[in-house]
Amino acid sequence: MEKKEKKPNFFVRAGKAIGRYFKEVVGEVKKLSWPTKKELINYSLAVLAFVALMAAIMWVLDLGFSTGITALAGIGK
């Protein structure tokens, strides 16, 4: 009768899997291309402009809704 090959225990398999994961992560990080300083500044300004625009839109909507609700509440008085 042939003897079955013994499978490594859970901790050995987990350790190898974790090691392989980090090795692959390092390999992927090496492939990254980072933005230049000029690109980073442009992207940051674009994000800030978008956030400012969205804040202004939310402020206008909030002002409009609060004015409308106040007007509706004043109808019954």
Side-chain angles (χ1 to χ4, degrees), residues 49-61:
F50 181 77
V51 169
L53 176 67
M54 288 296 114
I57 290 171
M58 294 300 292
W59 177 72
V60 168
L61 288 172

Side-chain angles (χ1 to χ4, degrees), residues 25-26 28-40 43:
V25 167
V26 169
E28 289 298 322
V29 169
K30 288 180 180 178
K31 296 178 188 176
L32 289 175
S33 63
W34 296 96
T36 64
K37 184 176 181 180
K38 185 177 181 180
E39 289 173 333
L40 183 63
Y43 296 155

